[in-house]
Amino acid sequence: MMSVAEDTPSAPKGPSIVALIGVVAVLTLIAAGGGWLLGGQLGLGPSQATKADGDKQAAPEEVPTGSVVPLKPILTNIKIPQDVWIRLEAGVVARPGEKVSDELAATVAGDFMAFMKTVNLMQLRGPAGIEYLRTDLQERAVMRSEGKIEKVYIWALVME
């Protein structure tokens, strides 16, 4: 007769802990090397402050930016359906060297309100609809300000 212990096959042994640590170390080195290589190709490495021919430091490029003027929140209903109310919080960016007065900001906000009263709810669907709205508002702001306004930002758009 055979004993029960002889009939059952022994459980296969798993990989040793040393082999597991070795595999994790190799994969970590491969990932670090790949990140370093990709960062170098994208130009994300450490910046060179000195040139080979001299000790001149690179001057940062100045990007001209205009002033940001927040508009008062606009609360109005839309054309279709008329029971939907919209709250629009937006701001305008003046061209460099230009200044947006309070009167001009109020005029642009009033123009935005008049435009929002003509909007259909279907026009505001999805990211493309919001981008079209921003583009339309920007065109109106540029026309109303005679070119003093460069860009329009929509900070919040709530529909109820």
Side-chain angles (χ1 to χ4, degrees):
M1 258 204 227
M2 293 181 101
S3 70
V4 178
E6 293 176 9
D7 287 343
T8 59
S10 64
K13 289 187 172 185
S16 69
I17 191 75
V18 174
L20 181 64
I21 291 173
V23 168
V24 169
V26 168
L27 288 176
T28 301
L29 289 174
I30 290 173
W36 176 77
L37 181 66
L38 184 61
Q41 288 180 349
L42 294 176
L44 300 176
S47 63
Q48 300 284 335
T50 60
K51 295 182 180 180
D53 58 337
D55 289 327
K56 298 179 183 177
Q57 289 190 358
E61 294 182 23
E62 293 184 22
V63 179
T65 58
S67 60
V68 178
V69 178
L71 302 176
K72 291 188 179 185
I74 298 167
L75 181 64
T76 184
N77 61 335
I78 60 175
K79 184 175 183 180
I80 299 174
Q82 288 189 351
D83 61 339
V84 173
W85 285 81
I86 287 188
R87 177 183 170 100
L88 173 70
E89 293 181 17
V92 295
V93 178
R95 290 201 181 280
E98 297 287 340
K99 183 172 179 169
V100 177
S101 65
D102 292 339
E103 294 84 20
L104 180 59
T107 303
V108 169
D111 200 25
F112 285 2
M113 181 184 288
F115 177 76
M116 292 304 291
K117 288 180 180 274
T118 67
V119 171
N120 183 341
L121 184 61
M122 296 300 289
Q123 294 172 322
L124 300 176
R125 294 186 76 181
I130 302 299
E131 182 61 26
Y132 290 139
L133 173 65
R134 190 195 62 77
T135 304
D136 289 340
L137 293 176
Q138 184 169 317
E139 289 175 2
R140 296 178 78 85
V142 169
M143 285 189 304
R144 180 67 66 183
S145 69
E146 298 173 353
K148 289 183 178 180
I149 293 176
E150 179 178 36
K151 197 161 186 81
V152 171
Y153 288 109
I154 296 176
W155 292 318
L157 181 66
V158 180
M159 292 176 258
E160 184 180 288

